[in-house]
Amino acid sequence: MVGEVPLTAGELRRATVRLRADVVAELPRAGAGARARADYWTTPIEGRTPHAALVERSLRAAVGDAVLRQWACQAGLLADPTEAGFRTRLDAENARRATAAAAGRPLPGVPRYDEESFARTEAAQLSTALRDTLADRVDLSDARLRARYAELITAADPAAGVPLFDQSRDRVRLDLLTTAFNQELSHRVGTIQATPLPTADLVVREAE
């Protein structure tokens, strides 16, 4: 459970598929050949198995995904934050794309979404929309923008060139909103009551 919404195997599997390459990159396989590949996930590297690392990260990411959808629901951007709601939206979007293609007016982007690509697209859209809802809660005054601009310029590489403030205003505004969004999402993830999925180990193992 994440709050009052069940955490499902489908959500965890998508998180695993998204993160497994990161784990392989950070905990590289020793040796080559079929046996090394077969034993990779259960062979300790730097004190822990890649499987254990992937389970931990996948659960954390799945909770974050669920919290994002629940926040979007509270903000009126989604009607249903559950896995069933996700699949309904996926099917509806694919039906919309199929209808448009059959009429000779294909929509931009992929002809058909799979679970992973639709989840990434939806999360990005929700994140942008939620970020923008914070505009009335974040200090975006000229003085604050200039102060943040000065902070960014101080931290920047002088060799890269320094754009003028007027040229950077929109990017500084976006930086402040993005920071506020990340802080709010982290706070929500950190304070929500989450119960680990009992079958997490098996779900991740099957997606490795």
Side-chain angles (χ1 to χ4, degrees):
M1 298 289 289
V2 180
E4 300 299 320
V5 179
L7 180 64
T8 68
E11 292 168 284
L12 183 59
R13 186 192 61 78
R14 287 195 297 274
T16 300
V17 170
R18 188 170 80 234
L19 293 170
R20 62 188 176 191
D22 293 343
V23 171
V24 172
E26 293 179 27
L27 300 173
R29 181 170 57 232
R35 181 56 183 270
R37 290 192 296 272
D39 293 344
Y40 169 72
W41 292 104
T42 56
T43 301
I45 302 174
E46 299 179 4
R48 70 185 315 197
T49 65
H51 172 75
L54 186 57
V55 170
E56 178 183 322
R57 295 186 191 190
S58 298
L59 281 169
R60 185 165 58 240
V63 169
D65 294 342
V67 169
L68 180 71
R69 290 196 299 273
Q70 291 181 42
W71 181 10
C73 189
Q74 293 167 5
L77 301 172
L78 280 184
D80 185 350
T82 67
E83 176 70 359
F86 169 81
R87 292 184 178 279
T88 296
R89 293 189 298 275
L90 170 61
D91 291 343
E93 179 60 23
N94 280 334
R96 185 174 77 95
R97 290 179 173 274
T99 299
R105 298 187 299 275
L107 298 174
V110 298
R112 180 181 178 81
Y113 282 108
D114 58 22
E115 284 186 38
E116 287 75 23
S117 60
F118 184 71
R120 288 193 301 270
T121 298
E122 182 176 78
Q125 293 172 342
L126 292 177
S127 296
T128 297
L130 288 168
R131 182 196 67 203
D132 291 344
T133 66
L134 299 175
D136 60 349
R137 295 169 45 187
V138 178
D139 181 0
L140 298 173
S141 64
D142 187 73
R144 180 66 185 106
L145 292 177
R146 289 181 181 277
R148 181 56 179 157
Y149 168 77
E151 294 169 358
L152 294 172
I153 292 303
T154 300
D157 180 1
V162 178
L164 298 174
F165 171 72
D166 287 341
Q167 297 173 321
S168 305
R169 182 185 294 270
D170 289 344
R171 276 182 288 177
V172 174
R173 183 180 186 276
L174 180 61
D175 174 80
L176 289 171
L177 284 173
T178 300
T179 298
F181 166 78
N182 290 335
Q183 290 174 343
E184 176 65 19
L185 182 59
S186 294
H187 171 73
R188 288 171 177 263
V189 171
T191 57
I192 199 165
Q193 184 69 35
T195 304
L197 191 70
T199 58
D201 188 82
L202 177 61
V203 171
V204 172
R205 193 174 302 282
E206 290 177 345
E208 288 173 348

